[in-house]
Amino acid sequence: MFKNYLLILLLLLNGFSAKAQQPTKPNSSEIYESIKKLQFLGSVLYIAAHPDDENTKLISYFANEVKARTAYLSVTRGDGGQNLIGPELGELLGAIRTQELLEARRIDGGEQMFTRANDFGYSKHPDETLAIWNKDEVLGDMVWAIRNFRPDIIINRFDHRSPGSTHGHHTSSAILSLEAFDLANNRNAYPKQLEYTTVWQPKRTFFNTSWWFYGSQENFDQADKTNLLGIDTGVFFPSMGLSNPEVAALSRSSHKSQGFGSTGARGEQMEYLELIKGDMPKYTSNIFEGIDTSWNKVKGGKTIGNMLKDIQDNYDFRNPSSSIPKLLEAYHLMNALEDQHWKAIKIVDLKNVIAACAGLYMEAAAETNQSTANEDVKLKIEAINRSAIPMTLRSLSINTQNHNLNKPLTQNAGFTLNETLHIKADQQPTAPYWLMEKGSLGMYKVSDQRFIGQPETPNDINVTFNIEIGKTPITFTKTIIYKSNDPVKGEVYKPFEIIPEVSVKLSEPVIIFDNDQPKNVQAIVTAGKNQFSGVVTLGCPKGWSVYPEKQSVKIEHKGDSHTILFTVIPPKEAHEGLLSPVVKVGDKNYTKTLVEINYDHIPYQSILLPSESKVVRLDIKKRGDNIGYIQGAGDAIPESLRQIGYNVTILDPENISLDMLNRFDAIVMGIRAYNTIDALKFKQSLLFDYMARGGNLIVQYNTSRELLMDQISPYDLQLSRDRVSEENAEVHFLNPDHELMNYPNKITQNDFKGWIQERGLYFPDKWGSEFTPLFSMNDKGETPKEGSLLVAKFGKGHYIYTGLSFFRELPAGVPGAYRLFANMLSIGKNGTNAENTQND
């Protein structure tokens, strides 16, 4: 039981550490709402598959109106999606979406959890999903979440009864949730978890249904609703000046990497919950009907409940500190409780209420945002009591260093202290815990059971303020932060992070050798401390050579980088492998790169990843040199094309002209360009004129539902949601004699080996007779899809539309994807009439 209490504290403190980067400063109305929430001992767990799947209206409703402890369990971190704000994909996108979810929860009042499942990309059926995920581990993670969070109510976003009708991850989340509902109270299920937690049985599970699942509003209106519970989530919060749907829209708008900006609504907003397990509430307006959510459920809690109700009834909005004496009495009573679960949760909440009532502000700011092990860091510590309640700062604990102070904190008299924090020699770097070990396609590897489910790595570098309020000693733990003043943004907060003494990366994640000539490869070494020195080597695949064997590096200042050139000699024949830089310092080898993610809407992050680059000796030919690229939703294709010798110019759609376009051998539209760039409405005629005069226009995938214009092609072309999610799906050649299949590179079945995540997405399903389809492919059990790559002659030039996922394959160094893309860019420049035989 004591281990369980420590685990709950770890979870709660980690949840508050993210908020501590930018301190919350609740106003009088917000404090009042927090006092009300102290009195509700019920919890709701919402479960779905990805970031953005959650129903923020329901989460906000339960957190802010009902006052329930509310959390969202996202099975994945959204690693497999697209990124509308930058080039990050894969695990880096997962890190961004993790922070976007945390920001959403800060807005709607919920908490955030995850499993170890990796979003490996689109899946059409739960059988495929659960074959790639480790079903037993993901199910265990759900059981773990239920046992720790102890929800009374579970709500699934998706229907477990509809496999194959939606994303396989969606249905799988519901299937596993129902299994976990039955297993969480079974001591024989995942018994090792019970070293840290206890069994728990939720009371009810619901499916969050809507008209969408019935096919139409009309079908839903006519459906039998006897097993449905309807909730009006359109309530208004006077303390916020916002309706619940407005709060939900702000929360959903945090998903900026997915382009989910939302507009708030007002008035009635009905949500429907279908009972799946448990008993139906007698009064369908109350989802907690029959479940005790008062302090009476806890032994010794009745007195606490009465006291908190009295504090609420006598709360003085003009002087919240008048509630502190009674709040301290409640604090003493809570500390004496036997129930460790609600004790841990409510004591953290109560301490925050006491601090807020007193205007008690505590902060520990480092002089830098990054440090290394075995370093000393200067801290500026601040504490101020802005109430008349007598307080004394008895001591400070800075990690294991204790400082006795006995400093009175008189009303509005600021106290500051300059101290030094010593970082332990064995202190591990700050990094996402789920990226520390190499996982599999479907799962992240996490060795420490206590970390599983947490949104972030628990921060163990903190300052504890031991404050006596009245005569009651209370400890407040604050995460060390870094803050600076930006002339435009003002006060800017960053987390304080521990980084390695050195990090190393190669200048390119993929290095293409289109012949057998050597290339100079840049190894970039960045010092994490002053006066750094080490030795750099570069590991290479068998058959490749590197010169010189090793090089020394010295860097005087922390944060500076030095670039070291190695000559890499490829083999004569096609081959691929990995280059791995290593920096040796004494008996330690450093092999990781430090990636910074810095967007305004989420906290700054430093992420450690294995430092390696794929090298490909590629058998490739190309025609033409100059490519114009119009960026859409963001991808790394321009950098990939430069790797094989193209001169790629990024074009501003607002400024393009026919004369400008005519300078290029081909124009390439980035992914979702027609979904994201308004200017293309007015520039499309120029692109058509460019083709008519002999130019090639290559359009990569767009989604049909968000097109900004009706005509993206000079001929009839209808986009669909067709996709082939199996990256190894068989590919059939429909027109093997076509120029694009033969020149300058002969495309064979080998060119479709080694693809990652998928073949392609959002293929057209109807097109004009002017188009020639080149490939047919399909996932298992589905009909063939022929719209993955369509070619049409237009005037003297060509129009190509492709849903093949080049935006994933080129950055991953897939040889065949490069060869096929080079053929698209080269079409019409091969000195052959092969294309004329294809009726395009």
Side-chain angles (χ1 to χ4, degrees):
M1 181 64 76
F2 183 67
K3 284 184 177 180
N4 184 40
Y5 175 65
L6 290 178
L7 178 61
I8 294 169
L9 281 177
L10 181 67
L11 293 166
L12 289 169
L13 289 174
N14 185 48
F16 280 96
S17 69
K19 296 182 182 182
Q21 292 172 19
Q22 183 101 20
T24 56
K25 302 170 185 177
N27 60 40
S28 185
S29 294
E30 291 168 335
I31 295 170
Y32 177 74
E33 296 298 325
S34 297
I35 292 172
K36 289 169 65 177
K37 192 159 190 168
L38 282 171
Q39 300 169 64
F40 195 94
L41 278 65
S43 51
V44 177
L45 180 61
Y46 198 93
I47 298 178
H50 310 107
D52 85 354
D53 285 342
E54 80 274 28
N55 186 331
T56 54
K57 284 186 288 188
L58 275 177
I59 291 175
S60 176
Y61 174 83
F62 285 119
N64 298 304
E65 174 67 11
V66 179
K67 304 300 183 189
R69 187 180 180 218
T70 308
Y72 174 43
L73 173 59
S74 179
V75 179
T76 75
R77 296 176 185 264
D79 328 71
Q82 287 87 52
N83 183 1
L84 299 188
I85 61 173
E88 298 90 354
L89 293 173
E91 58 275 303
L92 294 179
L93 179 57
I96 289 172
R97 291 188 173 174
T98 295
Q99 291 300 324
E100 289 179 338
L101 275 174
L102 287 170
E103 181 60 28
R105 301 294 80 83
R106 284 190 274 273
I107 292 169
D108 60 35
E111 300 175 37
Q112 186 61 52
M113 293 186 287
F114 295 93
T115 77
R116 287 170 290 173
N118 191 350
D119 178 7
F120 56 83
Y122 192 84
S123 169
K124 292 182 177 178
H125 198 280
D127 289 349
E128 179 194 6
T129 298
L130 297 176
I132 295 175
W133 289 350
N134 183 317
K135 179 185 175 182
D136 184 66
E137 289 185 358
V138 181
L139 178 59
D141 291 355
M142 282 196 175
V143 170
W144 172 252
I146 292 170
R147 286 173 172 174
N148 286 317
F149 191 73
R150 298 176 68 176
D152 299 297
I153 308 294
I154 293 176
I155 301 174
N156 292 330
R157 183 67 184 101
F158 299 105
D159 189 352
H160 65 289
R161 299 160 296 194
S162 57
S165 64
T166 182
H167 198 321
H169 297 184
H170 292 170
T171 313
S172 296
S173 71
I175 291 171
L176 295 177
S177 171
L178 295 182
E179 291 187 36
F181 180 96
D182 295 329
L183 292 175
N185 200 36
N186 183 349
R187 287 190 164 273
N188 294 320
Y190 304 100
K192 291 185 178 180
Q193 294 181 4
L194 301 181
E195 295 178 22
Y196 303 100
T197 190
T198 58
V199 294
W200 178 252
Q201 182 58 61
K203 302 299 188 297
R204 300 176 180 124
T205 287
F206 293 90
F207 159 45
N208 182 195
T209 190
S210 70
W211 69 263
W212 189 87
F213 292 96
Y214 286 75
S216 70
Q217 184 66 52
E218 181 181 4
N219 290 345
F220 183 66
D221 291 341
Q222 295 174 359
D224 179 8
K225 297 184 178 63
T226 55
N227 203 38
L228 299 188
L229 186 152
I231 300 174
D232 180 9
T233 63
V235 295
F236 176 65
F237 302 129
S239 62
M240 300 183 189
L242 297 170
S243 69
N244 184 66
E246 287 174 316
V247 175
L250 292 171
S251 172
R252 190 156 184 79
S253 296
S254 298
H255 297 298
K256 298 188 187 304
S257 66
Q258 303 186 69
F260 281 155
S262 300
T263 300
R266 289 144 293 280
E268 182 181 84
Q269 297 275 310
M270 294 301 297
E271 290 288 337
Y272 292 91
L273 305 177
E274 178 186 354
L275 182 70
I276 304 297
K277 286 181 178 287
D279 59 320
M280 189 71 173
K282 294 178 181 178
Y283 305 100
T284 56
S285 61
N286 179 12
I287 197 173
F288 283 98
E289 189 271 325
I291 301 172
D292 190 355
T293 59
S294 73
W295 276 97
N296 295 335
K297 74 189 297 180
V298 175
K299 182 180 178 181
K302 184 176 182 179
T303 303
I304 296 173
N306 292 336
M307 186 174 293
L308 292 172
K309 182 64 169 63
D310 182 63
I311 293 169
Q312 176 189 327
D313 291 343
N314 293 284
Y315 180 73
D316 186 346
F317 285 85
R318 293 174 297 180
N319 182 23
S321 64
S322 64
S323 298
I324 291 178
K326 284 290 186 182
L327 289 168
L328 293 174
E329 288 185 43
Y331 178 76
H332 283 289
L333 293 172
M334 280 191 200
N335 267 312
L337 291 174
E338 296 178 11
D339 185 304
Q340 298 298 317
H341 178 77
W342 284 110
K343 174 181 178 178
I345 293 166
K346 293 301 182 181
I347 277 183
V348 171
D349 292 343
L350 180 56
K351 291 199 296 184
N352 287 329
V353 169
I354 291 170
C357 285
L360 177 59
Y361 183 87
M362 296 157 287
E363 184 176 85
E367 65 177 342
T368 178
N369 72 306
Q370 294 178 330
S371 184
T372 61
N374 205 32
E375 274 195 326
D376 290 334
V377 181
K378 293 180 180 178
L379 301 179
K380 181 180 179 181
I381 298 171
E382 177 184 357
I384 184 169
N385 166 26
R386 290 171 284 188
S387 74
I389 301 296
M391 295 186 194
T392 302
L393 178 57
R394 291 299 183 191
S395 64
L396 289 170
S397 298
I398 307 174
N399 277 6
T400 58
Q401 309 161 39
N402 195 60
H403 302 265
N404 293 319
L405 298 171
N406 294 317
K407 172 68 179 177
L409 299 178
T410 56
Q411 184 173 12
N412 219 32
F415 168 77
T416 59
L417 178 69
N418 293 319
E419 276 292 347
T420 299
L421 166 69
H422 179 71
I423 309 298
K424 297 179 294 183
D426 60 352
Q427 179 68 49
Q428 293 300 304
T430 308
Y433 68 87
W434 62 95
L435 298 178
M436 295 303 291
E437 300 180 75
K438 187 174 181 61
S440 64
L441 172 63
M443 297 295 296
Y444 285 118
K445 184 178 179 181
V446 181
S447 299
D448 192 331
Q449 176 68 48
R450 294 168 298 176
F451 284 7
I452 293 173
Q454 298 196 53
E456 299 179 284
T457 307
N459 196 326
D460 57 358
I461 302 180
N462 305 299
V463 172
T464 299
F465 295 75
N466 302 300
I467 298 179
E468 190 173 86
I469 304 176
K471 295 184 179 180
T472 301
I474 302 180
T475 61
F476 299 92
T477 299
K478 296 293 181 181
T479 301
I480 296 172
I481 52 86
Y482 169 77
K483 67 179 183 180
S484 59
N485 186 73
D486 183 275
V488 175
K489 300 175 184 178
E491 193 174 53
V492 175
Y493 281 78
K494 285 185 178 181
F496 173 68
E497 300 177 323
I498 305 301
I499 61 173
E501 62 178 307
V502 65
S503 60
V504 61
K505 67 176 181 179
L506 299 182
S507 58
E508 300 291 343
V510 174
I511 305 170
I512 305 294
F513 291 76
D514 56 1
N515 54 46
D516 62 359
Q517 295 303 301
K519 277 190 178 182
N520 286 334
V521 173
Q522 297 179 339
I524 303 170
V525 180
T526 302
K529 66 176 186 178
N530 292 327
Q531 305 301 319
F532 169 80
S533 62
V535 175
V536 187
T537 59
L538 188 58
C540 66
K542 185 177 180 180
W544 296 65
S545 302
V546 173
Y547 178 82
E549 182 180 339
K550 60 183 178 180
Q551 299 189 59
S552 297
V553 60
K554 292 184 178 181
I555 303 175
E556 185 174 353
H557 299 295
K558 170 183 175 180
D560 282 353
S561 297
H562 280 198
T563 299
I564 297 175
L565 291 181
F566 287 93
T567 300
V568 176
I569 306 168
K572 296 286 185 183
E573 305 298 328
H575 191 264
E576 55 188 282
L578 295 175
L579 287 181
S580 305
V582 179
V583 182
K584 188 175 183 64
V585 182
D587 59 353
K588 292 183 180 180
N589 289 332
Y590 292 89
T591 61
K592 292 191 175 182
T593 181
L594 195 67
V595 182
E596 297 181 350
I597 296 179
N598 192 11
Y599 292 101
D600 285 344
H601 68 295
I602 55 176
Y604 171 92
Q605 300 177 80
S606 293
I607 297 177
L608 281 173
L609 294 174
S611 182
E612 55 189 22
S613 293
K614 186 174 182 178
V615 284
V616 180
R617 166 65 175 94
L618 183 61
D619 178 15
I620 190 171
K621 302 178 182 66
K622 62 185 183 65
R623 302 288 184 267
D625 297 304
N626 300 311
I627 307 301
Y629 202 91
I630 297 177
Q631 291 182 309
D635 58 61
I637 287 181
E639 292 85 347
S640 299
L641 296 180
R642 292 181 182 116
Q643 284 270 359
I644 56 174
Y646 282 106
N647 301 317
V648 182
T649 302
I650 304 300
L651 303 180
D652 180 357
E654 295 277 1
N655 298 324
I656 62 175
S657 65
L658 188 56
D659 286 342
M660 175 192 295
L661 296 175
N662 286 335
R663 303 173 196 167
F664 298 103
D665 296 300
I667 302 296
V668 181
M669 309 295 284
I671 59 173
R672 297 180 65 178
Y674 288 110
N675 296 133
T676 57
I677 304 174
D678 282 318
L680 291 178
K681 298 175 187 176
F682 313 106
K683 301 293 185 176
Q684 187 76 327
S685 61
L686 293 178
L687 293 168
F688 288 175
D689 288 345
Y690 163 75
M691 284 190 291
R693 296 187 181 196
N696 293 333
L697 178 64
I698 299 171
V699 178
Q700 297 180 85
Y701 93 90
N702 291 266
T703 61
S704 59
R705 288 190 295 182
E706 299 170 342
L707 284 175
L708 298 173
M709 54 196 304
D710 295 330
Q711 188 181 14
I712 65 171
S713 160
Y715 307 119
D716 289 341
L717 185 69
Q718 179 176 297
L719 305 185
S720 74
R721 296 185 64 80
D722 287 350
R723 65 196 302 158
V724 177
S725 60
E726 297 170 12
E727 63 269 29
N728 297 316
E730 188 174 357
V731 177
H732 299 279
F733 295 178
L734 299 177
N735 288 276
D737 295 329
H738 194 281
E739 177 190 2
L740 201 150
M741 299 291 294
N742 293 277
Y743 302 99
N745 304 288
K746 176 70 173 177
I747 302 301
T748 71
Q749 288 293 337
N750 285 334
D751 291 305
F752 287 94
K753 292 180 179 179
W755 285 50
I756 65 166
Q757 189 160 323
E758 61 195 353
R759 287 295 190 200
L761 63 171
Y762 299 108
F763 297 165
D765 60 356
K766 293 181 182 178
W767 50 85
S769 60
E770 297 87 354
F771 283 105
T772 298
L774 296 186
F775 305 114
S776 172
M777 58 188 74
N778 58 274
D779 288 322
K780 292 175 184 175
E782 295 194 354
T783 58
K785 308 294 187 294
E786 296 185 354
S788 63
L789 199 157
L790 303 172
V791 187
K793 195 85 167 65
F794 184 77
K796 296 180 180 179
H798 296 80
Y799 178 91
I800 298 175
Y801 187 92
T802 180
L804 293 173
S805 59
F806 290 107
F807 73 101
R808 297 193 192 281
E809 312 311 322
L810 296 190
V814 177
Y818 274 91
R819 287 162 47 84
L820 183 55
F821 210 98
N823 279 16
M824 292 195 299
L825 295 171
S826 303
I827 192 169
K829 299 176 175 62
N830 294 292
T832 174
N833 293 319
E835 61 169 335
N836 295 328
T837 67
Q838 299 303 315
N839 300 318
D840 63 2

